[in-house]
Structures are given as structure tokens and as C-alpha cells.
Amino acid sequence: MTFSWHRVGAIVKKELKDYRRNRFVVILTMTVLPLVFVLLPVIQLFTIRVSEISSSKLDTRIGISLLYMLIVPAIIPSALSAYSVIGEREQGTLEPLLTTPIRSEELLVGKALAVSIPTLVVAYAIYGIFLIAVGAFANPALQVVVFGQAHLLVELLFIPLLAGWSIWVGIAISTRSADVRVAQQLSVFASLAPLIIVALLALNVIKPTLVLTLLLAAGLLVLDSVGWRLVALMFDRERLIVGEPR
Amino acid sequence: MTSSTTFGSKAARVRAAGEPALVVEHLTKHFGSRIALDDVCFEVEQGEVFGLLGPNGAGKTTMIRILGTLIKPTFGNATVTGISLSRETGSEIRARISIMPETPGLYLRLTVWENLECFAGLYQLSHVNERIRKALASVNLADRQNELCGSLSKGLRQRVALARSLLSDPAVLFLDEPTSGLDPVAAHEVHDLIGALREHGVTTLVTTHRLEEAERLCDRVAIVNTKLLLVGKPDTLRADLFSRKLEVRLSSRLRDPSRVFSEVLGVKHWEEPEAGSYLLDVEDPDLVAPPLIRTLVGCGADVLAVGERRHSLEDVYLQLIGDGAGERK
């Protein structure tokens, strides 16, 4: 049987309905975290003193503010994707699901898409609100830097790429883990790895050039693209059903 | 209702191919050093209701999981609806079968309808609404379709899971303890449903601990305890394991029972479990009963009752499992 987007769609639809009725997801990941990550960068920028505007600290302060925007696509999907497989197993829903004609790749792509949709909506919404706040109320000198092409490029590119990394790492951990909490902790930790490089760029520790940024983005894109195939290889139906090695 | 949503249409297509629904050949499964199944062989014909009986840990669920392509056998092979088990054929086999695991495994934050809708999508079914309505009606849940599965009782969840497994109109239906947790009325409805599916040619493999259920539902049963101990029709199993017996109750004891019973042709052996009550080993109770009654009356006995003592499937099961006679075949 060939890859079926119809089956992928069935998984996405089911997952989104499930998220909507899951208080943990709605309250924590879709409300509390976004609120925190809008407020922190806004406070960070709006507390910059006039004397700092022309100093070298400015870039660092703006870098930190924009870094908050990238924590969202790294953190939100890691918790959700880490739950995706082991959570089904703990609820007892994995076995009925795997008795259907769905292929491992279809299940994984469906899970990943379901996590990526709310993640990208929330992450871009936070960035949009941040830009609106800066555009409306911030010092014009700050506006020039925040709306600079380099920062816009980094944010727009790295939001989906970091989300992709977090999702595949989270699902990979979820397929091999025996406990939801352990899976979520490991997943959050692993999702922060590429963020370190992005942080070094944002804080000017590594000189951010356009070429370097694009190279990093391309590297993450490759990892995200092959991620589903690697995770599909790790997806062992038997291990997930009986919980024992063959 | 269109033909595409009628139960048994997939079974009819498979039946046309003329092969057995299931062929299990030397199936063996090891989990590390533990042997879950050991060299099990049997066949299930199309349209048959086949019972898999055995104690906990006998390998019944493992058998279903292997045939459902969820886990791989260590040795041996099987064909399901004519397709041999392999990594490549897993999805194709799963499209033709349906498995209802022991635990319903429903999405509790989704409604009954949404649960079924999700699975209809996974089977890529057409006429989804019609199919869901029909599946729910067949388990008498049409009026609960908008309730969250989390709010349903265990028995109702079991019925939703059954509706889910009927949704794809499978050629082979695997039911793992289908009436577990159901009240007697609901269990009776499930029995009727399995009977109706048999009439539509759907092959059903059912595992159960309820032996009277297996006896009532199944055309044939297999008794397993890691190994296959016995397979056959319940009547045949009884005949194979137990001699046929006539039970005679008299108003008082016979003076010389040995002489009386030796006069009746076909009586092989007798015993007197309690005063005035006799158990006779006979070849054919229908042939032996009339001359036996004549002889008893002739010697002045007052006959209260004469009848065949039937062994239940439970007797067969206990004989095989309870006595630890695990190696009998």
C-alpha cells in the first residue's frame, strides 16, 4: 500500500480535536506559555534606558528578546510530541490504532503535523504581537533593529525549523520511552540543543552573517526532512505493543 | 442502504478466492526466554466462528497480535485471507481484518461518533456517515453517538469498540474477550451480532474465558496452553475425551445391578455414585436406553429418570487444562 495522506489527515483531525479538549494543552501550552513569552521580550525591550540605545548592550538586549520568540517553537512541540506515542500507549489506544491499515510513516507524519499546526500558529502569533508592540510603542531606534532584515529572517526561518527539530526529537523519544514524564523531560532537554547555536548568533558570540544563518537553516531543514524517516525506522510496533525486546 | 456498507461484502470477495480465512503453520513466538506460543497449527474456514480457549498467559492474545500483523512470529508462518504474513503485506492484511482488543482503547476526550470517524478515515472508507450509523445501530448505541467516550460505562465502551471493529466490514474479525465487562443482556446482544455476522460470511476468531459462550457461539474451538492442545467441534471434543454416559435414577437400589446391566447390550461399564442412581458407559445412548428401560421394568425397578449425561465444554477444558495435561493433542 502506498503512503496515504487520507490516513495522515485522519490522525491530524483526531489529534487536534483531542488537544482542544485537553485542559493541559489549552491552558499551559496555548495560554500560559505564550503569555509569558510575549511579556518577557516586551519587558526586556521596554526597560532599555535611553543611555543604552547607542551602546553595545543594545544588540544583546534585542538578541535576548528575540531569543524568547525561538524558545516557544522549541518548547511547545517537545512536550506535545513526547506524549504522542507513549501517551497513546499509556491510554491503551495505541494497539487499536496499529491494528488499522495505517503505516508507521503515516502515523508519524500525522502526529508531527498535528503538533506543528498549533505550535506555528502560537509561535508566529507571539512574534506578531511582539512586532506590533514594538512598532506601536518602542523607541524608533529599537524599531530599526527589531525590524531589520537579519532579525526578521532569523525569526521567520528558525521558528518552523526549530519546531521541526523538536517535534521529531520528541516523537523519537516517545517511541522508545516507557514513561510519559521521562519522555517529556528528555524531549524538552533535547529540543534546546539547536537553540544554543541560535542563541550564540543572537547574542553576537558567533558573528551572524547571512551565509552562516542560511547554512544553519539548511542544516536544520535537512535534519527535519530526514527526521520522519529516521523516526519511522525507530518505530517498532512489537516493542510498543508488548513492551519487550524481541 | 448501499451494498458498500453491508456487512460481509469484503468477506464475500475473500470467499470467492476459495482459500481458508486463516492458515496457521507451526507458529511459534518467544519473548526472550519465555515461550508464548509453541508450534501451533490450525486452519479456520471462511464464515466460521472459531474459539480460542485457554488460561491466562496461554498465548491467545499473542496469536491475535501475530495474525493482526502487530507482532512477528519467531518461527512459522500464517496466511490471513489468503495473504502471507510479512513486513510488506501488513497494511494490506490489516485493511481486510479488524481486531477488537481486550481493552476498548477509545479516545476518551472524543465523542463516540468522533472515535468512529477517526477509524473510518484510517480505513479510507466511503459512505462514512452511513457506515458509522449502521455500526452504532448494530450495537444499540445510536442514541449515544454524541457522548464523550470518557463519560461511558465500561460496558458501553466495550460496545463502542465493537462498533469500531465492525466499521470497516472486515473479512476476518478478531475479538479478544468481547463480552468481558458486559451485562448479560449486552452479552446476549453481542452473541446475536456474532451470529448475524456468521450469516453474512464474516469469519470470527474469538478468545474467551466463558466456556458456555464458546460452546454456544463457536463452530469449532481450539484449546491452547502455549501449545495447541485440541481443536475441533465442541461435540467432537466431548466425544474424543469422554465416553458417553447414561444416567439412571431409580426409586430404590437394585439388588444385583451387575446382573441387570450385563443383560443390556451396549453397556460397557457401570458405577453407582449414590444409592439408586447409576452411571453407565455406553456406546450409543439412543440405542441402549429403550432395552435398558425394558430390562429395569422387567426386574421390578421403579424408573424415575433415564437420560444422557452430557459433558460440557468446561469439562473438556478442565480435563485438558485443569489436570495439567498440557501435552495432550
Side-chain angles (χ1 to χ4, degrees):
Chain A
M1 280 196 180
T2 51
F3 190 95
S4 163
W5 283 104
H6 192 93
R7 288 194 284 262
V8 172
I11 293 292
V12 173
K13 214 168 145 187
K14 183 270 291 180
E15 291 284 307
L16 292 179
K17 277 180 189 159
D18 199 47
Y19 292 157
R20 215 175 58 209
R21 294 184 191 141
N22 185 338
R23 281 184 196 164
F24 171 80
V25 171
V26 172
I27 294 173
L28 186 69
T29 61
M30 302 300 163
T31 314
V32 176
L33 274 180
L35 201 64
V36 169
F37 285 99
V38 164
L39 288 176
L40 284 176
V42 168
I43 292 168
Q44 180 80 14
L45 279 192
F46 284 55
T47 53
I48 291 176
R49 293 180 202 139
V50 180
S51 59
E52 286 178 312
I53 285 180
S54 56
S55 75
S56 60
K57 283 183 183 173
L58 184 65
D59 269 355
T60 308
R61 297 285 294 262
I62 291 174
I64 292 170
S65 297
L66 292 171
L67 195 58
Y68 284 122
M69 305 289 136
L70 296 176
I71 291 174
V72 171
I75 298 289
I76 289 181
S78 65
L80 292 178
S81 56
Y83 183 81
S84 61
V85 179
I86 184 70
E88 292 250 15
R89 186 179 163 187
E90 287 200 351
Q91 283 181 67
T93 52
L94 188 63
E95 185 167 353
L97 187 62
L98 295 181
T99 63
T100 70
I102 195 162
R103 292 168 42 167
S104 306
E105 293 88 345
E106 293 162 353
L107 175 64
L108 296 171
V109 170
K111 292 275 183 186
L113 283 176
V115 176
S116 65
I117 292 167
T119 300
L120 294 180
V121 167
V122 169
Y124 281 125
I126 290 174
Y127 187 47
I129 293 168
F130 172 77
L131 290 180
I132 291 168
V134 170
F137 306 111
N139 187 300
L142 288 177
Q143 288 176 4
V144 171
V145 182
V146 170
F147 285 96
Q149 276 184 349
H151 283 303
L152 283 175
L153 183 68
V154 166
E155 294 293 325
L156 294 175
L157 266 184
F158 280 89
I159 283 176
L161 292 173
L162 285 171
W165 164 269
S166 288
I167 288 167
W168 288 124
V169 167
I171 294 178
I173 290 171
S174 191
T175 61
R176 309 299 288 188
S177 189
D179 181 81
V180 170
R181 283 186 185 177
V182 173
Q184 287 181 325
Q185 286 161 4
L186 282 175
S187 179
V188 169
F189 187 69
S191 68
L192 295 175
L195 206 59
I196 294 168
I197 299 169
V198 179
L200 294 176
L201 282 171
L203 299 174
N204 276 329
V205 177
I206 301 173
K207 187 71 184 163
T209 63
L210 184 64
V211 175
L212 185 61
T213 305
L214 290 176
L215 276 175
L216 276 173
L220 264 179
L221 184 64
V222 169
L223 284 176
D224 290 350
S225 308
V226 298
W228 72 279
R229 286 195 181 277
L230 292 175
V231 179
L233 288 174
M234 295 167 68
F235 191 88
D236 183 346
R237 284 173 183 253
E238 178 157 342
R239 190 176 179 278
L240 288 165
I241 294 293
V242 297
E244 295 178 51
R246 262 173 283 165
Chain B
M1 194 163 295
T2 63
S3 60
S4 61
T5 59
T6 305
F7 293 133
S9 58
K10 234 179 243 175
R13 284 198 293 278
V14 173
R15 201 162 48 243
E19 294 181 48
L22 299 170
V23 180
V24 174
E25 296 172 311
H26 305 289
L27 219 54
T28 300
K29 181 65 187 176
H30 296 174
F31 292 112
S33 59
R34 186 170 68 83
I35 299 171
L37 281 174
D38 189 5
D39 197 30
V40 175
C41 303
F42 63 82
E43 282 190 14
V44 179
E45 294 303 320
Q46 285 169 22
E48 197 174 14
V49 178
F50 189 84
L52 212 51
L53 310 181
N56 293 330
K60 304 185 297 291
T61 301
T62 301
M63 174 67 75
I64 287 185
R65 285 172 171 169
I66 291 175
L67 296 177
T69 77
L70 290 172
I71 61 177
K72 295 178 196 121
T74 310
F75 304 113
N77 194 19
T79 58
V80 180
T81 67
I83 305 170
S84 184
L85 293 180
S86 75
R87 187 182 171 84
E88 291 72 31
T89 57
S91 188
E92 195 182 346
I93 289 174
R94 292 195 300 275
R96 292 182 176 203
I97 64 169
S98 192
I99 300 178
M100 188 181 104
E102 195 175 348
T103 49
L106 302 170
Y107 295 105
L108 301 182
R109 283 188 286 265
L110 267 54
T111 64
V112 171
W113 184 278
E114 287 166 343
N115 265 276
L116 268 58
E117 196 177 37
C118 169
F119 277 75
L122 297 174
Y123 281 98
Q124 298 186 277
L125 301 177
S126 55
H127 307 96
V128 171
N129 292 347
E130 199 178 335
R131 277 178 186 273
I132 295 175
R133 269 195 289 273
K134 186 166 187 276
L136 288 175
S138 65
V139 295
N140 290 332
L141 277 179
D143 56 338
R144 314 296 286 261
Q145 65 181 43
N146 294 321
E147 290 184 29
L148 291 178
C149 285
S151 68
L152 299 178
S153 67
K154 188 185 173 196
L156 289 178
R157 288 181 195 178
Q158 193 80 353
R159 282 157 72 178
V160 177
L162 188 57
R164 183 184 61 196
S165 57
L166 295 174
L167 201 59
S168 63
D169 174 27
V172 181
L173 181 61
F174 295 91
L175 302 174
D176 201 356
E177 303 283 349
T179 54
S180 141
L182 296 186
D183 61 56
V185 175
H188 188 80
E189 286 167 3
V190 170
H191 294 167
D192 288 347
L193 184 61
I194 293 172
L197 290 170
R198 174 181 15 214
E199 282 172 19
H200 284 102
V202 177
T203 308
T204 307
L205 189 148
V206 54
T207 73
T208 180
H209 286 112
R210 295 166 69 169
L211 300 175
E212 81 288 352
E213 178 175 83
E215 185 150 30
R216 187 176 158 197
L217 282 178
C218 301
D219 300 311
R220 287 191 305 143
V221 295
I223 299 178
V224 290
N225 193 4
T226 307
K227 286 174 179 287
L228 180 69
L229 304 182
L230 212 72
V231 60
K233 294 180 178 176
D235 280 343
T236 315
L237 297 186
R238 268 192 290 268
D240 283 354
L241 281 177
F242 301 104
S243 59
R244 298 182 76 180
K245 288 187 191 298
L246 268 180
E247 191 171 17
V248 178
R249 279 202 304 121
L250 306 175
S251 61
S252 59
R253 300 183 68 178
L254 290 168
R255 279 189 195 159
D256 188 359
S258 296
R259 186 186 61 79
V260 173
F261 294 134
S262 66
E263 286 176 14
V264 183
L265 211 64
V267 176
K268 294 190 282 189
H269 176 261
W270 66 273
E271 59 184 290
E272 188 177 7
E274 49 187 282
S277 187
Y278 299 91
L279 269 179
L280 314 180
D281 282 358
V282 297
E283 278 173 11
D284 187 341
D286 293 342
L287 284 179
V288 173
L292 173 68
I293 294 167
R294 281 197 295 273
T295 306
L296 289 168
V297 171
C299 65
D302 293 328
V303 180
L304 299 178
V306 175
E308 184 178 0
R309 171 180 266 197
R310 285 181 64 83
H311 286 278
S312 66
L313 189 58
E314 190 169 347
D315 294 328
V316 175
Y317 181 88
L318 290 173
Q319 173 84 356
L320 288 168
I321 305 287
D323 294 352
E327 299 304 315
R328 292 181 69 164
K329 214 162 186 174

